[in-house]
């Protein structure tokens, strides 16, 4: 094992338990961090292509992705489909070309493929399904709605007017979050406007948790709701009126006495009762003269008849008292004259406004003045001085003009001057930060983080690097031989191959294996090979050349034979 590694292991073993635990945690965090960074930089980034899909749409999308061998992931209980980020838009375009997803339920695309011989009953069912699907898709466009289902009941047509029934609808919503009451009402009116003869009172909306979000109200319930809404609108109108008047007066006073040195409160009494009146006024003297509209005349004619003896006439008998012997009969025809004059007429309709202001009350408080005084002890203090009565009267007149004071309404105005805070509180006001305090307030956290990194480097990372270097130097020094070992090695130093005689060279080579011997012979220098050959006997030379050079061996044998023959 490497001496440096052995020394590091030994040093770790010599550490205390707390230091071992700290070192282990540091190593684990370091390894986990680098591993996370490596995985994060090399993994394929997936991005949602579709989210909030129905099970049917999700199944269709997955089937198309499988056919095209496109990698994907399912999240959100199968309602969200994620694909590699580089091909998100390609997948969406290809799905749109295939008409996927359908958006929950079937819509009017059901009529794109009409089959021959479809009955009227099937056509009506398909029309109803298409209408329900289109409404469900439209409702799902709300951000709060995850999915929607619409059920419409269309009554059968009847030839009798008395038996005619209106359609009704029920809507089931799966919500992502709470939906506002105004949005629920909008959904009810949206559905009712999409179906003929359907009114919002016949629409019921519930969610998947069983809450009734909207239901048709009776006339009495609707009247009660309208009354509550009216009361709320009246209250809001009153509050807005008071806030507007308060803001106008307070901003005007603050421009005079200073920011945050004026407080204004307005209270109003309003009459929200309704009183509509229609009048028809007839005034014959309005035009200043008489105008004849029509005139009718009737004449009267009298005819007299006288007789000595006879029976008095039954028509207007007239008897002469001076001459009772004679009797006179008259026949009277009358004539009438009727005049009709033109009379003026004025029709007037009077409506009371939404709110009538009966009384207005305004209370205003402004801060006084302050000056610095030196007491007997020489301490400088801030002393409150109330505003004079004349100045307060001027402020009161300003408020009266601004509020639209009306004595007939018994309006009230209260104008007072008080200190807004005690002198002690004012002395404790925070001063404006400058210099080092400003730097500390603005950049304190940044400086603290930099110091923390510096301390970490000086007291953790730098000692670790220094310790590793020291261990390496120590191991290298220990690996080097000491003075005694160097002297011993010099004494025991073996002589070089050239310095050996024949026997020593032979013994040196015999200690080697055949492979080592062959390698050593190849690495010999020319002088070492020459000394080695000179120290060999004739037989060893013959054996050596026989192994190395066959031609030289043959020549040597020939020389031996020729010497023997001679």
């Amino acid at each position: 094992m490497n001496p440096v590694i052995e020394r590091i292991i030994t040093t770790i073993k010599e550490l205390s338990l707390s230091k071992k635990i700290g070192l282990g945690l540091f190593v684990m965090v370091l390894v986990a961090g680098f591993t996370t960074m490596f995985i994060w930089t090399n993994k394929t980034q997936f991005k949602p292509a579709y989210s909030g899909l129905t099970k049917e749409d999700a199944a269709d999308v997955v089937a198309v992705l499988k056919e095209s061998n496109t990698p994907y992931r399912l999240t959100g209980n199968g309602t969200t489909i994620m694909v590699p980020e580089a091909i998100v838009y390609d997948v969406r375009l290809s799905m749109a070309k295939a008409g996927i997803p359908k958006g929950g339920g079937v819509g009017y695309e059901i009529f794109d493929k009409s089959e021959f011989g479809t009955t009227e009953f099937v056509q009506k069912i398909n029309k109803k399904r298409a209408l329900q699907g289109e409404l469900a898709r439209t409702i799902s466009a709300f951000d709060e709605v995850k999915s929607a289902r619409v059920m419409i009941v269309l009554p059968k047509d009847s030839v009798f007017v008395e038996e005619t029934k209106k359609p009704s609808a029920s809507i089931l919503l799966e919500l992502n979050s709470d939906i506002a009451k105004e949005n629920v009402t909008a959904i009810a009116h949206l559905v009712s406007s999409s179906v003929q003869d359907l009114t919002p009172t016949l629409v019921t909306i519930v969610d998947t948790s069983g809450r009734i979000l909207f239901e048709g109200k009776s006339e009495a319930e609707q009247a009660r709701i309208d009354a509550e809404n009216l009361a709320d609108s009246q209250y809001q109108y009153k509050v807005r009126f008071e806030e507007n008047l308060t803001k106008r007066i307070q901003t005007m006073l603050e421009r005079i006495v200073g920011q945050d040195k004026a407080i204004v409160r307005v209270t109003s009494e309003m009459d929200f009762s309704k009183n509509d009146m229609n009048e028809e006024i007839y005034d014959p003297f309005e035009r200043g003269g008489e105008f004849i509209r029509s005139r009718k005349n009737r004449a009267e004619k009298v005819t007299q008849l006288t007789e000595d003896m006879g029976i008095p006439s039954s028509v207007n008998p007239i008897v002469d008292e001076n001459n009772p012997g004679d009797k006179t009969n008259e026949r009277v025809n009358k004539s009438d004259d009727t005049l009709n004059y033109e009379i003026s007429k004025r029709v007037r309709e009077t409506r009371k406004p939404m709110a009538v202001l009966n009384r207005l009350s305004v209370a205003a408080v402004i801060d006084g003045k302050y000056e610095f005084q030196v007491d007997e002890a020489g301490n400088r203090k801030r002393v409150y001085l109330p505003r004079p009565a004349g100045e307060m009267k001027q402020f009161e007149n300003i408020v009266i003009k601004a509020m639209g004071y009306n004595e007939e309404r018994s309006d009230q105005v209260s104008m007072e001057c008080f200190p807004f805070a005690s002198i002690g509180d004012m002395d404790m006001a925070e001063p404006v930060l400058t210099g080092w305090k400003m730097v500390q307030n603005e950049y304190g956290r940044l400086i603290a983080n930099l110091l923390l990194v510096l301390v970490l480097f000086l007291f953790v990372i730098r000692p670790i690097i220094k310790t590793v270097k020291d261990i390496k130097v120590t191991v290298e020094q220990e690996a080097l031989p000491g003075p005694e070992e160097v002297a011993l090695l010099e004494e025991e130093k073996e002589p070089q191959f050239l310095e050996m005689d024949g026997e020593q060279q032979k013994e040196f080579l015999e200690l080697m294996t055949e492979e080592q011997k062959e390698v050593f012979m190849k690495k010999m220098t020319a002088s070492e090979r020459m000394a080695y050959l000179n120290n060999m006997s004739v037989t060893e030379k013959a054996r050596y050349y026989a192994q190395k050079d066959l031609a030289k061996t043959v020549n040597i044998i020939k020389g031996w034979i020729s010497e023997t023959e001679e």
Side-chain angles (χ1 to χ4, degrees):
M1 184 180 294
N2 193 333
V4 177
I5 298 176
E6 291 182 356
R7 187 58 182 269
I8 292 174
I9 295 174
T10 305
T11 305
I12 293 174
K13 290 180 179 180
E14 294 175 354
L15 294 176
S16 61
L17 181 60
S18 59
K19 292 183 178 180
K20 289 181 180 179
I21 294 174
L23 182 61
L25 292 175
F26 175 76
V27 173
M28 290 176 61
V29 171
L30 189 64
V31 172
F34 278 102
T35 304
T36 304
M37 291 178 61
F38 178 79
I39 296 174
W40 179 72
T41 54
N42 292 279
K43 73 176 183 179
T44 303
Q45 297 292 333
F46 280 79
K47 184 178 180 181
Y50 297 99
S51 59
L53 296 175
T54 61
K55 296 181 179 179
E56 295 79 7
D57 290 339
D60 295 338
V61 173
V62 170
V64 175
L65 293 177
K66 286 183 177 179
E67 290 179 0
S68 60
N69 295 325
T70 302
Y72 67 91
R73 291 180 182 176
L74 294 177
T75 59
N77 296 326
T79 60
T80 301
I81 299 178
M82 303 180 69
V83 296
E85 186 176 4
I87 60 172
V88 169
Y89 299 106
D90 295 337
V91 170
R92 290 177 181 175
L93 291 175
S94 61
M95 294 297 172
K97 183 179 179 180
I100 301 172
K102 298 178 181 179
V106 64
Y108 283 113
E109 67 273 4
I110 193 174
F111 296 106
D112 293 342
K113 297 180 182 179
S114 58
E115 297 180 359
F116 180 76
T118 304
T119 62
E120 182 181 0
F121 175 77
V122 175
Q123 289 287 354
K124 289 182 178 180
I125 294 297
N126 289 339
K127 180 181 178 181
K128 181 179 176 182
R129 290 178 59 196
L131 180 59
Q132 293 177 164
E134 293 293 337
L135 289 174
R137 293 176 183 176
T138 305
I139 296 171
S140 299
F142 286 84
D143 295 335
E144 299 87 350
V145 179
K146 183 178 181 180
S147 63
R149 289 183 63 86
V150 180
M151 283 71 72
I152 301 175
V153 178
L154 299 174
K156 295 182 179 179
D157 297 333
S158 176
V159 295
F160 302 100
V161 178
E162 294 82 1
E163 297 180 0
T164 302
K165 296 181 179 179
K166 292 186 177 181
S168 60
S170 59
I171 304 171
L172 177 65
L173 301 179
E174 184 179 357
L175 302 177
N176 292 320
S177 59
D178 290 337
I179 186 170
K181 186 177 180 180
E182 294 79 7
N183 293 345
V184 176
T185 305
I187 292 174
H189 285 273
L190 174 67
V191 174
S192 62
S193 301
S194 303
V195 181
Q196 184 179 1
D197 298 330
L198 179 61
T199 59
T201 57
L202 297 177
V203 177
T204 302
I205 302 176
V206 298
D207 62 1
T208 51
S209 61
R211 294 184 301 168
I212 299 177
L213 304 178
F214 184 89
E215 61 177 339
K217 303 291 190 305
S218 61
E219 294 183 358
E221 293 177 347
Q222 190 63 38
R224 179 180 59 81
I225 295 174
D226 293 341
E228 293 177 355
N229 295 336
L230 179 60
D232 183 67
S233 63
Q234 292 174 354
Y235 175 75
Q236 295 295 333
Y237 178 84
K238 181 175 179 293
V239 170
R240 286 197 300 269
F241 174 80
E242 294 174 353
E243 289 179 349
N244 181 42
L245 188 56
T246 299
K247 183 178 180 181
R248 290 171 54 191
I249 298 175
Q250 184 166 349
T251 53
M252 181 178 61
L253 293 177
E254 286 182 346
R255 290 292 298 272
I256 301 173
V257 300
Q259 186 71 23
D260 298 331
K261 290 189 176 183
I263 301 175
V264 179
R265 295 293 181 267
V266 176
T267 303
S268 61
E269 296 180 7
M270 293 185 176
D271 182 13
F272 292 96
S273 61
K274 293 184 178 180
N275 186 13
D276 298 340
M277 181 175 60
N278 296 326
E279 295 178 321
E280 291 186 4
I281 301 174
Y282 297 89
D283 187 1
F285 304 104
E286 182 179 2
R287 297 184 179 181
E290 298 179 355
F291 297 89
I292 297 175
R293 176 188 292 180
S294 62
R295 182 170 185 175
K296 184 178 181 182
N297 294 326
R298 185 179 179 183
E300 181 178 357
K301 184 179 181 182
V302 179
T303 303
Q304 296 182 354
L305 297 175
T306 304
E307 295 181 358
D308 294 338
M309 296 296 293
I311 301 173
S313 175
S314 61
V315 179
N316 298 327
I318 300 175
V319 179
D320 189 359
E321 295 180 354
N322 297 325
N323 190 6
D326 296 334
K327 296 182 178 179
T328 303
N329 295 329
E330 289 182 344
R331 180 175 294 172
V332 180
N333 294 325
K334 294 183 178 181
S335 173
D336 294 333
D337 189 3
T338 304
L339 292 175
N340 293 326
Y341 293 95
E342 188 73 33
I343 301 176
S344 64
K345 175 184 177 182
R346 183 170 68 249
V347 179
R348 182 170 62 188
E349 181 179 356
T350 305
R351 289 187 177 182
K352 185 180 177 182
M354 177 181 177
V356 177
L357 184 61
N358 292 336
R359 189 177 182 183
L360 190 62
S361 300
V362 177
V365 180
I366 60 176
D367 196 5
K369 299 179 180 179
Y370 299 89
E371 67 178 12
F372 290 95
Q373 296 180 359
V374 180
D375 57 6
E376 298 177 356
N379 298 322
R380 190 167 179 264
K381 294 184 179 180
R382 195 178 185 187
V383 180
Y384 167 75
L385 297 177
R387 297 180 183 271
E391 186 177 353
M392 294 300 300
K393 185 62 178 178
Q394 291 179 350
F395 283 122
E396 184 176 355
N397 293 333
I398 292 174
V399 173
I400 287 174
K401 299 297 182 181
M403 66 178 283
Y405 181 84
N406 190 346
E407 188 175 358
E408 295 179 357
R409 292 195 308 247
S410 300
D411 292 348
Q412 294 180 349
V413 178
S414 176
M415 193 75 189
E416 301 293 340
C417 178
F418 292 103
F420 276 20
S422 64
I423 297 176
D425 295 337
M426 293 178 182
D427 293 338
M428 294 175 61
E430 295 184 0
V432 179
L433 299 178
T434 56
W436 169 248
K437 292 185 178 179
M438 185 271 292
V439 174
Q440 182 180 2
N441 187 39
E442 294 291 335
Y443 306 102
R445 293 187 178 181
L446 178 61
I447 295 174
N449 292 329
L450 293 176
L451 291 176
L452 181 61
V453 173
L454 182 62
V455 169
L456 181 65
F457 175 77
L458 293 178
F459 295 98
V460 178
I461 299 177
R462 188 165 173 266
I464 292 176
I465 297 174
K466 184 178 180 181
T467 303
V468 172
K469 289 183 177 179
D470 293 342
I471 292 173
K472 185 176 180 181
V473 171
T474 303
V475 172
E476 290 177 353
Q477 291 179 353
E478 292 178 354
L480 294 175
E484 298 178 355
E485 294 179 352
V486 171
L488 183 60
L489 290 174
E490 291 179 354
E491 293 178 357
E492 297 179 354
K493 185 176 180 180
E494 296 181 356
Q496 295 294 329
F497 188 80
L498 291 174
E499 299 175 356
M500 299 180 185
D501 54 10
E503 295 296 331
Q504 290 177 346
Q505 290 179 353
K506 184 177 180 181
E507 293 177 358
F508 179 76
L509 294 175
E510 288 179 355
L511 295 175
M512 299 180 183
T513 60
E514 294 296 332
E515 292 79 6
Q516 294 175 349
K517 185 176 181 180
E518 184 177 357
V519 172
F520 181 77
M521 295 292 290
K522 290 180 179 180
K523 292 182 179 181
M524 278 185 177
T525 61
S527 57
E528 290 178 345
R529 184 175 291 104
M530 182 63 66
Y532 174 68
L533 293 176
N534 293 330
N535 293 328
M536 284 184 180
S537 60
V538 178
T539 307
E540 290 175 350
K541 287 182 180 180
R543 187 181 300 111
Y544 173 77
Y545 284 117
Q547 294 176 355
K548 298 296 181 182
D549 193 348
L550 182 61
K552 287 184 178 182
T553 304
V554 172
N555 292 330
I556 292 172
I557 294 173
K558 288 181 177 180
W560 288 349
I561 294 172
S562 60
E563 291 178 357
T564 305
E565 291 178 352
E566 291 176 358

